[in-house]
Amino acid sequence: MDVNESWEGFAQRMQRLNPLFELGRGMEVGELKPHIQTILMQVLLTIFYRELNDDDHRRKSDIKYMVEDSIKQMKLLADEKQIERITSGLLYQGKEEYSRPFEALYYDEIRQSWETQVFRYVTMDELYTNLEMGGSIVYKLTDVSQEMIFMSREMAEEFSITIEQLYSMQLIKNGNFRKATRNLDHLISRVNRLMSREFSFQKEMINNPKILLMEEEMQRADNRAEIEKQFEEEKNHFRTISSLIEKTKRRNEEDDHIQRELILLQEKIGHTRQLHDRFAKLVIQNISYEMKLKAENPSLFWETSLVSFREHIYENWFMKEGASSFDHVEKVLGPLFSPKNEFILPLDWIWGEQEFDEKQLTETMEEETEDESITHQRVTNWGSVIKAWSYVFQYLQTYGEFSLADLTTLPLEVQDLWFEESETIDLWMMFDKKPLNVQVLHRKEESLSDEREILLYKLMQEYPQFQVFEGLKLYTEFDHRAEPFLWYQMKITPFKICVQEEK
Amino acid sequence: MMSAESIKTASAVYFTLLKDKVIDENSEHFQAYFDPDVRQTVLLMADESGTFIIESPKRIQLVVQPTGSVFATNFTHMKDRHKQVETKKHFHLMSVVIMAFLAGIDRNQAAKIRTKREGISFYTLERQVNDVIMNWDSLLKAKPDFGEEEKIDMRDVVTTWKYMEVDTDDYGARKANRRTRIGLIASAMRLLETEGLIVILDREDIPKAIPKQELFERIEYLYHDYDRYEMFKELMKTEEEDQHAKNTSN
């Protein structure tokens, strides 16, 4: 056979090297160009260690600081623009707005063709990015960049837990504790990696149970037994390490320095062990979840969809033919939304939900008396209050201020709204109290105490466009031009509500 | 036969859905719903009020029917607020944005998982919407009579978009600014966010919309079903025929 052995596994080698070759390539950073890879490698390492230490300071702004810091450490100079460029250059390829992943070519020796490899250096860390609250993305290293870090430690070959283990033991025997602890870092990272893989499999499985039927996943099931066996070995190794430490501890009782190092090492091993336990739990959880899914939802595994939104509705109709009438578009999109519950339930329905009593007759009597006590208690109809105020906020949104004097210029049916609920008018006085920093959007209604906050919360729920007020400051100013005026038997001193933009 | 007990439970489920949009597996109502009698009753209530229920292994969701319902939605509300001629096309443009976004995430499983991790940035979405509009623009050019009669909607939308700036340099004004494309996209995405279907990250920097599982379930149920697809087509057809009938009677 004249197969040249230099070709063996060539594509794989290239796919490992490409991220290194591409790191920082094509950035316009002037005199920093020769240093760019060193800077970025240091940034990747910083992210890596923050990840290991459960430090979530890994947002884009933090990465910017890391870049700045590395540059300073390396006794180089950079301006704001260069720092920005280097930061975004680690996150995306090309223009930042499009958030594109990196691409590199490699030659596939088996297919005998050029292929494109797509990768990123950092990716969203779901564990730390608070999806429910919005905010900023917390980044973590991808497999690709972790690999770069391992490679740079000459540990390029498959990073198996067992090899690491032996390595650690060797280090302990040699008394090189610091290096041993450091080595455990990589063990932790490896477990974290396995864990996140298992975690995303779980999510994927929940989202699309069909993947359980795919070829790859069948293979995965076979691997399960092996994973568990590995855990068993894991535990044995830990035991060996622990006893080794104990022995070394006794032997070096008088040396404080060694003792300290050993305690650190022990703590770290404890941590690693906990991680392994967590991982084991996750694996088992996934197995049971898989069983449950298969048993309870057999239909999930044979239903396949015939039509897709992208192809049938968007590409073949919307894009190709255009919209002759937007009513059609609304019909298509309408069902994407949930109904808004606006009507007030009849009392007996509500009560029926709370209790069920056969003795209807006596019940009605009681209901009547209860009914009376309820009418004595004033209940604010927020719907009306919000409707009245929506005009004010619409004004505020457009012009940035609204004068009380303008109330008389509103359409008469709107003016009527202002008298339906006394709270509507009372709220005016509330706004005159002190400025209000609007911070209600992501809070629970029950946690709001200020009436103005409740008003804004309800306004935002009702009219999403008012969410622009979140984060802004509302304050009042005396309207010098306007005279006090009479409005339906009310004498009003006019003032203006104003919006102050955030700086 | 429906018992009083199951009607009671069914109402509890239905009204909770009405209040919260979604019931997930941790809710007591989730278990209750899957009792056959209860489920039957809830479906009946849903149908009678012009709504329907989307079932998935983890949750049930309540949405309105395309032919309208006794309820308003955030979407219809938005439309009502854009009645004036000037801003109606903005509402239409927001519909285009939502269409483009749905198409952007309705892809094969691997791509779907990637979108779910990385989201779609507003700027990428702007490019996608632009593709549609440019396509329509050439449609209109090729068929000058396309804009006549009832087809006027599209031309309006195309012109508005084309003369709209992508973004302002002013960071403060970026928020909900209907005068720029990014501002318009922000309004459309906020609508989906309020509905609990997406999460918006990096709002102040390069905003991205990350679709939630709830949205994928709605897409799957609404648009991946052949019968429903036929129903949509039917709805559009009857409407067009209605319009023709109206035109000839004039």
Side-chain angles (χ1 to χ4, degrees), chain A residues 7 35 63 71 107 115 129 145 150 160 191-192 291 317 384 400:
Chain A
W7 279 111
H35 311 293
I63 296 179
I71 290 176
Y107 187 76
E115 305 286 336
T129 307
S145 45
F150 293 138
S160 90
V191 181
N192 274 335
M291 300 291 188
W317 167 66
S384 156

Side-chain angles (χ1 to χ4, degrees), chain A residues 167-185:
Chain A
Y167 189 52
S168 310
M169 285 197 286
Q170 200 55 45
L171 290 170
I172 293 168
K173 276 182 193 152
N174 294 344
N176 192 345
F177 308 114
R178 189 172 285 272
K179 209 167 173 197
T181 28
R182 285 257 286 281
N183 205 46
L184 274 172
D185 285 345

Side-chain angles (χ1 to χ4, degrees), chain B residues 108-172:
Chain B
N108 68 48
Q109 193 58 25
K112 204 183 268 179
I113 286 169
R114 206 178 315 135
T115 349
K116 240 162 131 184
R117 293 188 62 94
E118 289 163 11
I120 295 188
S121 91
F122 287 8
Y123 291 91
T124 311
L125 199 49
E126 189 267 334
R127 285 292 92 195
Q128 277 161 10
V129 174
N130 200 54
D131 286 348
V132 181
I133 303 279
M134 286 307 136
N135 223 25
W136 288 2
D137 196 31
S138 48
L139 266 183
L140 288 166
K141 279 200 183 102
K143 270 167 78 186
D145 61 330
F146 202 101
E148 282 167 27
E149 289 175 29
E150 76 273 12
K151 319 237 177 193
I152 203 79
D153 282 18
M154 213 168 93
R155 178 171 303 242
D156 236 19
V157 167
V158 168
T159 324
T160 315
W161 176 266
K162 271 174 74 181
Y163 293 106
M164 210 179 241
E165 276 194 59
V166 175
D167 204 354
T168 68
D169 291 330
D170 181 6
Y171 262 65

Side-chain angles (χ1 to χ4, degrees), chain A residues 232-252:
Chain A
E232 214 33 63
E233 276 177 34
E234 255 342 287
K235 278 185 187 152
N236 293 335
H237 280 302
F238 280 133
R239 220 164 290 144
T240 328
I241 294 186
S242 300
S243 69
L244 254 173
I245 292 177
E246 283 307 319
K247 257 187 246 160
T248 326
K249 238 181 177 174
R250 261 176 270 127
R251 220 182 300 137
N252 300 289

Side-chain angles (χ1 to χ4, degrees), chain A residues 74-85:
Chain A
M74 293 170 189
K75 298 188 175 58
L76 298 167
L77 284 171
D79 59 28
E80 187 67 16
K81 226 170 150 188
Q82 285 167 316
I83 293 170
E84 288 269 359
R85 183 68 196 92

Side-chain angles (χ1 to χ4, degrees), chain A residues 27-159:
Chain A
M27 279 188 210
E28 290 297 331
V29 284
E31 70 280 7
L32 279 177
K33 204 170 168 116
H35 311 293
I36 189 87
Q37 292 184 330
T38 317
I39 297 168
L40 286 177
M41 195 63 195
Q42 172 56 30
V43 172
L44 284 178
L45 277 164
T46 315
I47 301 174
F48 175 71
Y49 279 102
R50 290 204 179 164
E51 218 179 304
L52 285 181
N53 297 322
D54 291 332
D55 181 347
D56 68 348
H57 287 92
R58 289 176 265 130
R59 293 177 178 83
K60 192 182 152 195
S61 52
D62 301 313
I63 296 179
K64 217 178 109 184
Y65 286 129
M66 292 177 207
V67 172
E68 204 177 345
D69 224 41
S70 311
I71 290 176
K72 227 180 266 168
Q73 283 275 322
M74 293 170 189
K75 298 188 175 58
L76 298 167
L77 284 171
D79 59 28
E80 187 67 16
K81 226 170 150 188
Q82 285 167 316
I83 293 170
E84 288 269 359
R85 183 68 196 92
I86 295 173
T87 307
S88 74
L90 183 69
L91 301 182
Y92 320 107
Q93 184 167 57
K95 264 188 112 171
E96 193 173 2
E97 283 94 318
Y98 304 131
S99 308
R100 274 210 306 270
F102 296 85
E103 284 182 8
L105 295 172
Y106 65 92
Y107 187 76
D108 191 316
E109 79 280 4
I110 297 163
R111 285 193 232 169
Q112 306 225 328
S113 61
W114 283 93
E115 305 286 336
T116 310
Q117 176 189 0
V118 181
F119 62 91
R120 280 183 195 278
Y121 294 105
V122 289
T123 179
M124 181 167 92
D125 190 340
E126 283 118 335
L127 287 175
Y128 287 94
T129 307
N130 198 336
L131 280 178
E132 293 309 317
M133 298 282 292
S136 307
I137 293 182
V138 175
Y139 290 98
K140 64 171 183 187
L141 298 190
T142 57
D143 286 359
V144 161
S145 45
Q146 282 205 12
E147 183 108 16
M148 281 163 54
I149 284 174
F150 293 138
M151 247 198 274
S152 63
R153 282 187 77 243
E154 294 166 316
M155 297 293 286
E157 282 312 305
E158 186 55 28
F159 230 83

